[in-house]
Coordinates of all heavy atoms in Angstrom, one line a residue:
M1 N -17.4 17.2 5.9 CA -16.6 16.2 5.2 C -15.6 15.7 6.3 O -14.7 16.3 6.8 CB -15.9 16.9 4.1 CG -15.0 16.0 3.4 SD -14.5 16.6 1.8 CE -12.9 17.3 2.3
T2 N -15.8 14.4 6.5 CA -14.8 13.7 7.5 C -13.7 13.1 6.7 O -13.8 12.6 5.6 CB -15.5 12.6 8.3 OG1 -16.0 11.6 7.4 CG2 -16.7 13.2 9.1
R3 N -12.5 13.2 7.2 CA -11.3 12.6 6.7 C -10.8 11.5 7.5 O -9.9 11.7 8.4 CB -10.2 13.7 6.4 CG -10.8 14.9 5.7 CD -9.7 15.6 5.0 NE -9.7 15.2 3.6 CZ -8.8 15.5 2.8 NH1 -7.7 16.1 3.2 NH2 -8.9 15.1 1.6
E4 N -11.3 10.3 7.3 CA -11.0 9.2 8.2 C -10.0 8.3 7.4 O -10.2 8.0 6.2 CB -12.2 8.4 8.5 CG -11.9 7.3 9.5 CD -13.2 6.6 9.9 OE1 -14.2 7.3 10.0 OE2 -13.1 5.4 10.1
V5 N -8.9 7.9 8.1 CA -7.9 7.1 7.4 C -8.5 5.7 7.3 O -9.1 5.1 8.2 CB -6.6 7.1 8.3 CG1 -5.6 6.1 7.7 CG2 -6.0 8.4 8.4
K6 N -8.3 5.1 6.2 CA -8.8 3.7 5.9 C -7.6 2.9 5.5 O -6.5 3.3 5.2 CB -9.7 3.7 4.7 CG -11.0 4.7 4.9 CD -11.7 4.8 3.7 CE -12.8 5.8 3.8 NZ -13.5 6.2 2.6
V7 N -7.7 1.6 5.6 CA -6.7 0.6 5.2 C -7.2 0.0 3.9 O -8.3 -0.5 3.8 CB -6.5 -0.4 6.3 CG1 -5.4 -1.4 5.8 CG2 -6.2 0.2 7.6
F8 N -6.2 -0.1 2.9 CA -6.4 -0.7 1.6 C -5.4 -1.8 1.4 O -4.3 -1.7 1.8 CB -6.3 0.3 0.5 CG -7.3 1.4 0.5 CD1 -7.2 2.6 1.2 CD2 -8.6 1.2 -0.1 CE1 -8.1 3.5 1.2 CE2 -9.6 2.1 -0.1 CZ -9.4 3.4 0.6
R9 N -5.9 -2.9 0.8 CA -5.0 -4.0 0.5 C -4.9 -4.0 -1.0 O -5.9 -4.1 -1.7 CB -5.6 -5.4 1.0 CG -4.7 -6.5 0.7 CD -5.2 -7.8 1.4 NE -5.2 -7.7 2.8 CZ -6.2 -8.2 3.6 NH1 -7.2 -8.8 3.1 NH2 -6.1 -8.0 4.9
V10 N -3.7 -3.8 -1.5 CA -3.5 -3.7 -2.9 C -2.7 -5.0 -3.4 O -1.7 -5.4 -2.8 CB -2.6 -2.5 -3.3 CG1 -2.4 -2.3 -4.8 CG2 -3.3 -1.2 -2.7
R11 N -3.3 -5.6 -4.4 CA -2.6 -6.8 -5.0 C -2.3 -6.6 -6.4 O -3.0 -5.9 -7.2 CB -3.6 -8.0 -4.9 CG -3.8 -8.5 -3.5 CD -4.6 -9.8 -3.5 NE -4.6 -10.4 -2.2 CZ -5.7 -10.4 -1.5 NH1 -6.8 -10.0 -1.8 NH2 -5.6 -11.0 -0.2
G12 N -1.1 -7.2 -6.8 CA -0.8 -7.0 -8.3 C 0.5 -7.8 -8.5 O 0.9 -8.7 -7.9
L13 N 1.1 -7.4 -9.7 CA 2.3 -8.1 -10.2 C 3.3 -7.0 -10.5 O 3.0 -5.9 -10.9 CB 2.1 -8.8 -11.5 CG 1.0 -9.9 -11.4 CD1 0.7 -10.3 -12.9 CD2 1.5 -11.1 -10.6
M14 N 4.6 -7.3 -10.2 CA 5.7 -6.4 -10.5 C 6.7 -7.2 -11.3 O 7.0 -8.3 -11.1 CB 6.3 -5.8 -9.2 CG 6.9 -6.8 -8.2 SD 7.4 -5.9 -6.8 CE 7.7 -7.2 -5.7
K15 N 7.1 -6.5 -12.4 CA 8.1 -7.0 -13.4 C 9.5 -6.4 -13.2 O 9.6 -5.2 -13.3 CB 7.6 -6.8 -14.8 CG 8.4 -7.4 -15.9 CD 7.9 -7.2 -17.2 CE 8.8 -7.8 -18.3 NZ 8.3 -7.4 -19.6
Y16 N 10.4 -7.3 -13.0 CA 11.8 -6.8 -12.7 C 12.5 -6.6 -14.1 O 12.1 -7.1 -15.1 CB 12.6 -7.8 -11.9 CG 12.1 -7.8 -10.5 CD1 11.4 -9.0 -10.0 CD2 12.3 -6.8 -9.6 CE1 10.9 -9.0 -8.7 CE2 11.9 -6.9 -8.3 CZ 11.2 -8.0 -7.8 OH 10.8 -8.1 -6.5
R17 N 13.7 -5.9 -14.0 CA 14.5 -5.7 -15.3 C 14.9 -7.0 -15.9 O 15.1 -7.1 -17.1 CB 15.7 -4.9 -15.0 CG 15.4 -3.4 -14.6 CD 16.7 -2.7 -14.3 NE 16.4 -1.6 -13.5 CZ 17.2 -0.9 -12.7 NH1 18.3 -1.4 -12.5 NH2 16.8 0.1 -12.0
T18 N 15.0 -8.1 -15.1 CA 15.5 -9.4 -15.6 C 14.4 -10.1 -16.4 O 14.6 -11.1 -17.0 CB 15.9 -10.3 -14.5 OG1 14.9 -10.5 -13.6 CG2 17.2 -9.6 -13.7
G19 N 13.1 -9.6 -16.3 CA 12.0 -10.2 -16.9 C 11.2 -11.0 -16.0 O 10.1 -11.5 -16.3
D20 N 11.7 -11.3 -14.7 CA 10.9 -12.0 -13.7 C 9.7 -11.2 -13.3 O 9.8 -10.0 -13.1 CB 11.8 -12.3 -12.5 CG 13.0 -13.2 -12.8 OD1 12.9 -13.9 -13.8 OD2 14.0 -13.2 -12.0
V21 N 8.6 -12.0 -13.1 CA 7.4 -11.3 -12.6 C 7.0 -12.0 -11.2 O 7.1 -13.1 -11.1 CB 6.2 -11.6 -13.5 CG1 4.9 -11.0 -13.0 CG2 6.5 -11.0 -15.0
Q22 N 6.8 -11.0 -10.3 CA 6.5 -11.5 -8.9 C 5.1 -10.9 -8.4 O 5.0 -9.7 -8.6 CB 7.6 -11.1 -8.0 CG 7.4 -11.6 -6.6 CD 8.6 -11.2 -5.7 OE1 9.6 -10.7 -6.2 NE2 8.5 -11.3 -4.4
P23 N 4.3 -11.7 -7.8 CA 3.1 -11.1 -7.3 C 3.4 -10.4 -6.0 O 4.4 -10.7 -5.3 CB 2.2 -12.3 -7.0 CG 3.1 -13.5 -6.9 CD 4.3 -13.1 -7.7
F24 N 2.6 -9.4 -5.6 CA 2.7 -8.7 -4.3 C 1.4 -8.4 -3.7 O 0.4 -8.3 -4.4 CB 3.5 -7.4 -4.5 CG 2.9 -6.4 -5.3 CD1 1.9 -5.5 -4.7 CD2 3.0 -6.3 -6.7 CE1 1.3 -4.5 -5.4 CE2 2.4 -5.3 -7.4 CZ 1.5 -4.4 -6.8
T25 N 1.4 -8.3 -2.4 CA 0.2 -7.8 -1.6 C 0.7 -6.8 -0.6 O 1.6 -7.2 0.2 CB -0.5 -9.0 -0.9 OG1 -0.9 -9.9 -1.9 CG2 -1.7 -8.5 -0.2
I26 N 0.2 -5.6 -0.6 CA 0.7 -4.6 0.3 C -0.6 -3.9 1.0 O -1.6 -3.6 0.3 CB 1.4 -3.5 -0.4 CG1 2.7 -4.0 -1.1 CG2 1.8 -2.3 0.5 CD1 3.5 -3.0 -1.8
E27 N -0.5 -3.7 2.2 CA -1.5 -3.0 3.0 C -1.0 -1.6 3.3 O 0.1 -1.5 3.8 CB -1.9 -3.7 4.3 CG -2.7 -5.0 4.0 CD -3.0 -5.7 5.3 OE1 -2.4 -5.5 6.4 OE2 -3.9 -6.5 5.3
V28 N -1.8 -0.5 3.0 CA -1.4 0.8 3.2 C -2.5 1.6 3.8 O -3.7 1.2 3.6 CB -0.9 1.5 1.8 CG1 0.4 0.9 1.4 CG2 -2.0 1.5 0.8
T29 N -2.2 2.7 4.5 CA -3.2 3.5 5.0 C -3.3 4.7 4.1 O -2.4 5.2 3.5 CB -2.9 4.0 6.4 OG1 -1.6 4.7 6.4 CG2 -2.8 2.9 7.4
A30 N -4.6 5.1 3.8 CA -4.8 6.3 2.9 C -6.2 6.8 3.2 O -7.1 6.1 3.8 CB -4.6 5.9 1.5
L31 N -6.5 7.9 2.5 CA -7.9 8.5 2.7 C -8.8 8.0 1.5 O -10.0 8.0 1.7 CB -7.8 10.1 2.6 CG -7.1 10.7 3.8 CD1 -6.9 12.2 3.6 CD2 -7.7 10.4 5.1
S32 N -8.2 7.6 0.4 CA -8.9 7.2 -0.7 C -8.2 6.1 -1.5 O -7.0 5.9 -1.3 CB -9.3 8.4 -1.7 OG -8.1 8.8 -2.2
E33 N -8.9 5.4 -2.5 CA -8.2 4.4 -3.3 C -7.1 5.1 -4.1 O -6.1 4.5 -4.3 CB -9.2 3.7 -4.2 CG -10.1 2.7 -3.5 CD -10.9 1.9 -4.5 OE1 -10.6 1.9 -5.7 OE2 -11.8 1.2 -4.1
E34 N -7.4 6.3 -4.6 CA -6.4 6.9 -5.5 C -5.1 7.2 -4.7 O -4.0 7.0 -5.2 CB -6.9 8.3 -6.0 CG -8.0 8.1 -7.0 CD -9.4 7.8 -6.4 OE1 -9.6 8.1 -5.1 OE2 -10.3 7.3 -7.0
Q35 N -5.2 7.6 -3.4 CA -4.0 7.9 -2.6 C -3.3 6.6 -2.3 O -2.1 6.6 -2.3 CB -4.4 8.6 -1.3 CG -4.8 10.1 -1.6 CD -5.1 10.8 -0.3 OE1 -5.2 10.1 0.8 NE2 -5.3 12.1 -0.4
A36 N -4.1 5.5 -2.0 CA -3.5 4.2 -1.8 C -2.7 3.7 -3.0 O -1.6 3.2 -2.8 CB -4.6 3.2 -1.4
L37 N -3.2 3.9 -4.2 CA -2.5 3.5 -5.4 C -1.2 4.3 -5.6 O -0.2 3.7 -5.9 CB -3.4 3.7 -6.6 CG -2.9 3.3 -7.9 CD1 -2.7 1.8 -7.9 CD2 -4.0 3.7 -9.0
E38 N -1.3 5.6 -5.3 CA 0.0 6.4 -5.5 C 1.0 6.0 -4.4 O 2.1 5.9 -4.7 CB -0.3 7.9 -5.3 CG -1.1 8.5 -6.4 CD -0.2 8.5 -7.6 OE1 1.0 8.8 -7.6 OE2 -0.8 8.2 -8.7
K39 N 0.6 5.6 -3.2 CA 1.5 5.2 -2.2 C 2.1 3.9 -2.6 O 3.3 3.7 -2.4 CB 0.7 5.0 -0.9 CG 1.6 5.0 0.3 CD 0.8 5.1 1.6 CE 1.6 5.4 2.8 NZ 0.8 5.7 4.0
V40 N 1.4 3.0 -3.2 CA 2.0 1.7 -3.6 C 3.0 1.9 -4.7 O 4.1 1.3 -4.7 CB 0.9 0.7 -4.0 CG1 1.5 -0.5 -4.7 CG2 0.0 0.3 -2.8
Y41 N 2.7 2.7 -5.7 CA 3.6 3.1 -6.8 C 4.9 3.6 -6.2 O 6.0 3.3 -6.5 CB 3.1 4.1 -7.8 CG 2.1 3.4 -8.8 CD1 0.9 4.1 -9.1 CD2 2.4 2.2 -9.4 CE1 0.0 3.5 -10.0 CE2 1.5 1.7 -10.4 CZ 0.4 2.3 -10.6 OH -0.5 1.8 -11.6
S42 N 4.8 4.5 -5.2 CA 6.0 5.1 -4.6 C 6.8 4.1 -3.8 O 8.0 4.1 -3.9 CB 5.5 6.2 -3.7 OG 6.5 6.9 -3.0
L43 N 6.1 3.3 -3.0 CA 6.8 2.3 -2.2 C 7.6 1.3 -3.1 O 8.8 1.0 -2.9 CB 5.8 1.5 -1.3 CG 5.3 2.3 -0.1 CD1 4.2 1.5 0.6 CD2 6.4 2.6 0.9
L44 N 6.9 0.7 -4.1 CA 7.5 -0.2 -5.0 C 8.6 0.3 -5.8 O 9.7 -0.3 -6.1 CB 6.5 -1.0 -5.8 CG 5.6 -1.9 -5.1 CD1 4.5 -2.5 -6.0 CD2 6.2 -3.0 -4.3
G45 N 8.4 1.6 -6.2 CA 9.4 2.3 -7.0 C 10.7 2.5 -6.2 O 11.8 2.4 -6.7
S46 N 10.5 2.9 -4.9 CA 11.7 3.2 -4.1 C 12.4 1.9 -3.6 O 13.6 1.9 -3.6 CB 11.3 4.1 -3.0 OG 10.4 3.5 -2.1
R47 N 11.6 1.0 -3.2 CA 12.2 -0.3 -2.7 C 12.9 -1.1 -3.8 O 13.9 -1.8 -3.6 CB 11.1 -1.2 -2.1 CG 10.7 -0.7 -0.7 CD 9.6 -1.6 -0.2 NE 8.9 -1.0 0.9 CZ 7.8 -1.5 1.4 NH1 7.3 -2.6 0.9 NH2 7.3 -0.9 2.5
H48 N 12.3 -1.3 -5.0 CA 12.7 -2.1 -6.0 C 13.2 -1.5 -7.3 O 13.5 -2.2 -8.3 CB 11.6 -3.2 -6.3 CG 11.1 -4.0 -5.1 ND1 11.8 -5.0 -4.6 CD2 10.1 -3.9 -4.4 CE1 11.2 -5.5 -3.6 NE2 10.1 -4.8 -3.4
K49 N 13.2 -0.1 -7.3 CA 13.6 0.6 -8.5 C 12.8 0.3 -9.7 O 13.3 0.1 -10.8 CB 15.1 0.4 -8.8 CG 16.0 0.7 -7.6 CD 15.9 2.1 -7.2 CE 17.0 2.4 -6.1 NZ 16.4 3.0 -5.0
L50 N 11.4 0.2 -9.6 CA 10.6 -0.1 -10.6 C 9.9 1.1 -11.2 O 9.6 2.1 -10.5 CB 9.5 -1.0 -10.1 CG 9.9 -2.5 -9.6 CD1 8.7 -3.2 -9.0 CD2 10.4 -3.3 -10.8
K51 N 9.6 1.1 -12.5 CA 8.8 2.2 -13.0 C 7.4 1.8 -13.0 O 7.0 0.6 -12.8 CB 9.2 2.3 -14.6 CG 10.6 2.5 -14.8 CD 11.0 3.9 -14.4 CE 12.5 4.3 -14.8 NZ 12.9 5.6 -14.2
R52 N 6.5 2.8 -13.0 CA 5.0 2.5 -13.0 C 4.5 1.6 -14.0 O 3.6 0.8 -13.7 CB 4.2 3.8 -13.0 CG 4.4 4.7 -11.8 CD 3.7 6.0 -12.1 NE 3.9 6.8 -10.8 CZ 2.9 7.3 -10.1 NH1 1.6 7.0 -10.5 NH2 3.1 7.9 -9.0
R53 N 5.1 1.6 -15.1 CA 4.7 0.7 -16.2 C 5.0 -0.8 -15.9 O 4.5 -1.6 -16.5 CB 5.3 1.1 -17.6 CG 6.8 1.0 -17.7 CD 7.3 1.3 -19.1 NE 8.8 1.3 -19.1 CZ 9.5 2.3 -18.9 NH1 9.0 3.5 -18.8 NH2 10.8 2.2 -19.0
N54 N 5.9 -1.0 -15.0 CA 6.3 -2.4 -14.6 C 5.5 -2.9 -13.4 O 5.8 -3.9 -12.9 CB 7.8 -2.5 -14.3 CG 8.6 -2.2 -15.6 OD1 8.2 -2.5 -16.6 ND2 9.8 -1.7 -15.4
I55 N 4.5 -2.1 -13.0 CA 3.7 -2.5 -11.8 C 2.2 -2.6 -12.3 O 1.7 -1.6 -12.8 CB 3.7 -1.4 -10.7 CG1 5.2 -1.3 -10.2 CG2 2.8 -1.8 -9.5 CD1 5.4 -0.1 -9.3
K56 N 1.7 -3.8 -12.3 CA 0.3 -4.0 -12.7 C -0.5 -4.3 -11.5 O -0.4 -5.3 -10.8 CB 0.2 -5.2 -13.6 CG 1.1 -5.1 -14.9 CD 0.7 -3.9 -15.7 CE 1.6 -3.9 -17.0 NZ 1.8 -2.6 -17.5
I57 N -1.5 -3.4 -11.3 CA -2.5 -3.5 -10.1 C -3.6 -4.4 -10.6 O -4.2 -4.2 -11.6 CB -3.0 -2.2 -9.7 CG1 -1.9 -1.2 -9.3 CG2 -3.9 -2.3 -8.5 CD1 -1.0 -1.7 -8.2
Q58 N -3.8 -5.5 -9.8 CA -5.0 -6.4 -10.1 C -6.2 -6.1 -9.2 O -7.3 -6.2 -9.7 CB -4.5 -7.8 -9.7 CG -3.4 -8.3 -10.7 CD -2.9 -9.7 -10.3 OE1 -2.9 -10.0 -9.2 NE2 -2.6 -10.5 -11.3
S59 N -6.0 -5.6 -8.0 CA -7.2 -5.3 -7.1 C -6.8 -4.3 -6.0 O -5.7 -4.3 -5.5 CB -7.9 -6.5 -6.6 OG -7.0 -7.2 -5.6
I60 N -7.8 -3.4 -5.7 CA -7.6 -2.6 -4.5 C -8.9 -2.8 -3.7 O -10.0 -2.6 -4.3 CB -7.5 -1.1 -4.9 CG1 -6.3 -0.9 -5.8 CG2 -7.4 -0.2 -3.7 CD1 -6.2 0.5 -6.3
E61 N -8.8 -3.1 -2.4 CA -10.0 -3.4 -1.6 C -9.7 -2.7 -0.2 O -8.7 -2.7 0.3 CB -10.3 -4.9 -1.4 CG -9.1 -5.7 -0.8 CD -9.5 -7.1 -0.6 OE1 -10.6 -7.5 -0.4 OE2 -8.6 -7.9 -0.8
E62 N -10.8 -2.1 0.3 CA -10.8 -1.5 1.6 C -10.9 -2.7 2.6 O -11.7 -3.6 2.4 CB -11.9 -0.5 1.8 CG -11.8 0.2 3.0 CD -12.9 1.3 3.2 OE1 -13.4 1.7 2.1 OE2 -13.1 1.7 4.3
V63 N -10.1 -2.7 3.6 CA -10.0 -3.7 4.6 C -10.4 -3.1 6.0 O -10.0 -2.0 6.4 CB -8.6 -4.3 4.7 CG1 -8.5 -5.4 5.8 CG2 -8.1 -4.7 3.4
S64 N -11.3 -3.9 6.7 CA -11.6 -3.4 8.1 C -10.4 -3.5 9.0 O -9.5 -4.4 8.7 CB -12.8 -4.3 8.6 OG -12.4 -5.6 8.8
I65 N -10.4 -2.8 10.0 CA -9.3 -2.8 10.9 C -9.1 -4.1 11.6 O -7.9 -4.5 11.8 CB -9.6 -1.7 12.0 CG1 -9.6 -0.3 11.4 CG2 -8.5 -1.8 13.1 CD1 -10.0 0.8 12.4
E66 N -10.1 -4.9 11.8 CA -9.9 -6.2 12.3 C -9.2 -7.2 11.4 O -8.6 -8.2 11.8 CB -11.3 -6.8 12.8 CG -12.0 -6.1 13.8 CD -12.7 -4.8 13.3 OE1 -13.1 -4.8 12.1 OE2 -12.9 -3.9 14.1
D67 N -9.3 -7.0 10.1 CA -8.7 -7.9 9.1 C -7.4 -7.5 8.6 O -6.7 -8.1 7.8 CB -9.6 -8.0 7.9 CG -11.0 -8.6 8.2 OD1 -11.0 -9.4 9.1 OD2 -11.9 -8.3 7.5
V68 N -6.7 -6.5 9.3 CA -5.4 -6.0 8.9 C -4.4 -7.1 9.3 O -4.4 -7.6 10.3 CB -5.0 -4.7 9.5 CG1 -3.6 -4.3 9.2 CG2 -6.0 -3.6 9.0
K69 N -3.5 -7.5 8.3 CA -2.5 -8.5 8.5 C -1.1 -7.9 8.8 O -0.3 -8.4 9.5 CB -2.3 -9.4 7.3 CG -3.6 -10.2 7.1 CD -3.5 -11.1 5.8 CE -4.7 -11.9 5.6 NZ -4.6 -12.7 4.4
S70 N -0.8 -6.7 8.4 CA 0.4 -6.0 8.5 C 0.6 -5.5 9.9 O -0.2 -4.7 10.4 CB 0.6 -4.9 7.5 OG 1.7 -4.1 7.8
D71 N 1.7 -6.0 10.6 CA 1.9 -5.5 12.0 C 2.2 -3.9 12.0 O 1.8 -3.3 12.9 CB 3.1 -6.2 12.6 CG 2.8 -7.7 12.9 OD1 1.7 -8.0 13.1 OD2 3.8 -8.5 12.9
Y72 N 2.9 -3.5 11.0 CA 3.2 -2.1 10.9 C 2.0 -1.2 10.8 O 1.8 -0.3 11.6 CB 4.1 -1.7 9.7 CG 4.4 -0.3 9.5 CD1 5.3 0.4 10.3 CD2 3.7 0.4 8.5 CE1 5.5 1.8 10.1 CE2 3.9 1.7 8.3 CZ 4.8 2.4 9.1 OH 5.0 3.7 8.9
V73 N 1.1 -1.6 9.9 CA -0.2 -0.8 9.8 C -1.1 -0.9 11.1 O -1.7 0.0 11.5 CB -1.0 -1.3 8.5 CG1 -2.4 -0.7 8.4 CG2 -0.2 -1.1 7.3
R74 N -1.1 -2.1 11.7 CA -1.9 -2.4 12.9 C -1.3 -1.4 14.0 O -2.1 -0.8 14.7 CB -1.8 -3.8 13.3 CG -2.7 -4.2 14.4 CD -2.6 -5.6 14.8 NE -3.1 -6.4 13.7 CZ -4.3 -6.8 13.4 NH1 -5.3 -6.3 14.2 NH2 -4.6 -7.6 12.4
R75 N 0.0 -1.4 14.2 CA 0.6 -0.4 15.2 C 0.3 1.0 14.9 O 0.1 1.8 15.7 CB 2.0 -0.7 15.4 CG 2.3 -2.0 16.2 CD 3.8 -2.2 16.5 NE 4.3 -3.0 15.4 CZ 5.4 -2.7 14.7 NH1 6.1 -1.6 14.9 NH2 5.8 -3.6 13.7
L76 N 0.4 1.3 13.6 CA 0.1 2.7 13.2 C -1.4 3.1 13.5 O -1.6 4.2 13.9 CB 0.3 2.9 11.7 CG 0.4 4.2 11.1 CD1 1.6 5.0 11.7 CD2 0.6 4.1 9.5
L77 N -2.3 2.2 13.3 CA -3.7 2.5 13.6 C -4.0 2.7 15.1 O -4.9 3.3 15.5 CB -4.6 1.5 13.0 CG -4.6 1.4 11.5 CD1 -5.4 0.2 11.0 CD2 -5.2 2.7 10.9
E78 N -3.1 2.1 15.9 CA -3.3 2.1 17.4 C -2.9 3.4 18.0 O -3.2 3.7 19.1 CB -2.7 0.9 18.0 CG -3.2 -0.4 17.7 CD -2.4 -1.6 18.3 OE1 -1.3 -1.3 18.8 OE2 -2.9 -2.7 18.1
L79 N -2.1 4.2 17.3 CA -1.6 5.5 17.8 C -2.7 6.5 18.1 O -3.7 6.6 17.3 CB -0.6 6.1 16.8 CG 0.7 5.4 16.6 CD1 1.5 6.1 15.5 CD2 1.5 5.3 17.9
D80 N -2.7 7.1 19.2 CA -3.6 8.2 19.5 C -3.3 9.5 18.7 O -4.3 10.2 18.3 CB -3.6 8.5 21.0 CG -4.2 7.4 21.8 OD1 -4.9 6.6 21.3 OD2 -3.8 7.3 23.0
K81 N -2.0 9.8 18.6 CA -1.6 11.0 17.9 C -0.2 10.8 17.3 O 0.6 10.0 17.9 CB -1.7 12.3 18.7 CG -0.7 12.2 19.9 CD -0.9 13.5 20.8 CE -0.1 13.4 22.0 NZ -0.3 14.6 22.8
L82 N 0.1 11.5 16.3 CA 1.4 11.4 15.6 C 2.1 12.7 15.7 O 1.5 13.8 15.4 CB 1.2 11.0 14.1 CG 2.5 10.8 13.3 CD1 3.3 9.7 13.9 CD2 2.1 10.6 11.9
V83 N 3.3 12.8 16.3 CA 4.0 14.1 16.4 C 5.2 14.0 15.5 O 6.0 13.1 15.5 CB 4.5 14.2 17.9 CG1 5.4 15.5 18.1 CG2 3.4 14.1 18.9
V84 N 5.2 15.0 14.6 CA 6.2 15.2 13.6 C 7.1 16.4 14.0 O 6.6 17.5 14.2 CB 5.7 15.3 12.2 CG1 6.8 15.5 11.2 CG2 4.8 14.2 11.9
I85 N 8.4 16.1 14.0 CA 9.3 17.2 14.4 C 10.0 17.7 13.2 O 10.5 17.0 12.3 CB 10.3 16.8 15.5 CG1 9.6 16.4 16.7 CG2 11.4 17.8 15.8 CD1 10.4 15.8 17.8

């Protein structure tokens, strides 16, 4: 069983407390779609103080490394190894 990191592009809508609805597109690295979905919920919840019920996912698609638009994700994929202290 190989555990290769993949890139997922997640699109959806987020609803603020004021009632405003805003579309979003986020690229994340994960091993599976389920992990990518959890990561998006976590990121949006921490950045915008949103509950999961206020985040509506429209699509999750796996993206090839050549099609990655996020500079952060692109630099992360270029690393040979990650050292955590």
Side-chain angles (χ1 to χ4, degrees):
M1 180 167 95
T2 62
R3 303 202 104 194
E4 187 175 325
V5 176
K6 302 172 188 168
V7 179
F8 293 92
R9 186 174 294 140
V10 181
R11 290 189 170 109
L13 300 170
M14 54 184 172
K15 182 178 178 184
Y16 293 108
R17 292 179 197 155
T18 59
D20 296 338
V21 177
Q22 181 178 351
F24 68 87
T25 301
I26 297 179
E27 289 179 342
V28 294
T29 56
L31 297 175
S32 66
E33 281 189 17
E34 293 80 19
Q35 287 182 354
L37 185 61
E38 288 297 318
K39 196 169 197 177
V40 168
Y41 282 136
S42 176
L43 288 171
L44 292 177
S46 65
R47 287 181 190 167
H48 302 284
K49 305 298 184 228
L50 296 172
K51 302 288 183 190
R52 288 174 179 240
R53 67 177 174 262
N54 295 331
I55 302 169
K56 302 298 181 212
I57 303 299
Q58 294 175 326
S59 68
I60 302 174
E61 60 181 322
E62 188 175 339
V63 179
S64 66
I65 295 173
E66 295 81 25
D67 294 334
V68 173
K69 295 179 183 176
S70 169
D71 290 333
Y72 174 75
V73 173
R74 187 177 299 277
R75 281 186 269 129
L76 191 61
L77 293 171
E78 291 173 355
L79 294 175
D80 290 335
K81 61 183 175 179
L82 181 63
V83 178
V84 179
I85 297 176

